[in-house]
Amino acid sequence: MESSSGDDRRLEKFMGRKERRRSSLDKPLHGDYIGAKHNSKIMSIINKQDEKEILFADTLMKCNRKCKMQERIIVLTEKSLYNIDPSTYKAKRRIGLLDIACVKMSGLQDNFFVVSVPSEYDYLYVSSKKIEICLHLRRQYQFVQSGQVLPIEFKNTLEYKVDSGIFREIKFSPENDGVSTQIFERRKK
């Protein structure tokens, strides 16, 4: 999918709240970066849930419960967000769009974002395509929710749920020509 004027207007909204790298301002939006629509293993996973359309697919990093980075494939369909292990092509998790409460990200030039799922646990992802992921996710959420808009929170300190009753905090701060990112140990609430 090529960038449309509607996507450009939505991108401007992010740009007013999220610092952007100059190189990312004119990036075309493609949606499927890994050819998921032509991958029989990925299509088999989503077809089992009676889903047919891939709106976004790419490889990114996920921060697991032990604070270790893991490579994952993220696939957004018309009803769900999938987390797939790229070495086995097994779905590690399927999140219904209606279960997502919000997306959280800092206002700085970093690649982190949190998908908040209050009924379970949250995901901390790292992707250079975070804005495009949010645009697709927000558009589809709005469609599924009959016009309700998916909230996107911009804060330089984010809290996310790792497990039942266990939360982590990630702090972003400007540093020289980049961003310092610190993830704090588990804390119970």
Side-chain angles (χ1 to χ4, degrees), residues 64-98:
N64 73 12
R65 291 178 180 161
K66 296 177 182 176
C67 247
K68 303 262 190 243
M69 291 295 176
Q70 299 174 315
E71 187 176 57
R72 289 290 183 256
I73 294 171
I74 187 173
V75 176
L76 174 64
T77 68
E78 67 270 22
K79 299 181 203 169
S80 308
L81 185 66
Y82 289 84
N83 176 40
I84 299 171
D85 184 329
S87 61
T88 62
Y89 282 97
K90 293 197 187 241
K92 295 300 212 173
R93 186 174 180 197
R94 176 185 174 267
I95 304 169
L97 294 182
L98 300 178

Side-chain angles (χ1 to χ4, degrees), residues 3-166:
S3 177
S4 70
S5 61
D7 287 333
D8 292 339
R9 283 192 300 276
R10 289 184 189 104
L11 216 53
E12 287 174 23
K13 290 181 183 178
F14 279 99
M15 291 169 53
R17 311 250 331 256
K18 173 90 174 151
E19 287 184 31
R20 304 289 309 280
R21 292 180 180 92
R22 236 180 274 188
S23 64
S24 72
L25 296 178
D26 295 321
K27 262 187 195 176
L29 307 179
H30 297 291
D32 185 357
Y33 290 87
I34 58 170
K37 294 171 186 168
H38 307 290
N39 183 310
S40 61
K41 292 177 182 178
I42 292 175
M43 291 308 295
S44 174
I45 291 168
I46 71 165
N47 288 337
K48 284 179 187 173
Q49 299 297 326
D50 200 30
E51 298 178 62
K52 310 264 184 275
E53 190 178 355
I54 293 179
L55 305 171
F56 182 89
D58 196 19
T59 304
L60 47 60
M61 299 304 286
K62 176 189 84 106
C63 184
N64 73 12
R65 291 178 180 161
K66 296 177 182 176
C67 247
K68 303 262 190 243
M69 291 295 176
Q70 299 174 315
E71 187 176 57
R72 289 290 183 256
I73 294 171
I74 187 173
V75 176
L76 174 64
T77 68
E78 67 270 22
K79 299 181 203 169
S80 308
L81 185 66
Y82 289 84
N83 176 40
I84 299 171
D85 184 329
S87 61
T88 62
Y89 282 97
K90 293 197 187 241
K92 295 300 212 173
R93 186 174 180 197
R94 176 185 174 267
I95 304 169
L97 294 182
L98 300 178
D99 295 327
I100 298 173
C102 69
V103 174
K104 303 175 185 180
M105 61 178 71
S106 82
L108 302 174
Q109 294 179 4
D110 62 89
N111 289 328
F112 290 86
F113 68 102
V114 172
V115 175
S116 181
V117 186
S119 62
E120 298 177 39
Y121 57 92
D122 302 338
Y123 266 147
L124 175 61
Y125 284 122
V126 184
S127 173
S128 62
K129 297 178 186 86
K130 70 204 158 296
I131 300 298
E132 183 175 354
I133 293 167
C134 287
L135 288 174
H136 288 289
L137 189 56
R138 193 171 180 154
R139 183 185 308 123
Q140 191 59 25
Y141 182 93
Q142 189 170 7
F143 178 75
V144 170
Q145 289 280 55
S146 303
Q148 186 177 339
V149 177
L150 177 68
I152 298 181
E153 298 177 8
F154 295 89
K155 296 179 184 171
N156 290 345
T157 300
L158 305 176
E159 184 176 85
Y160 65 101
K161 185 177 177 183
V162 178
D163 207 344
S164 179
I166 301 172

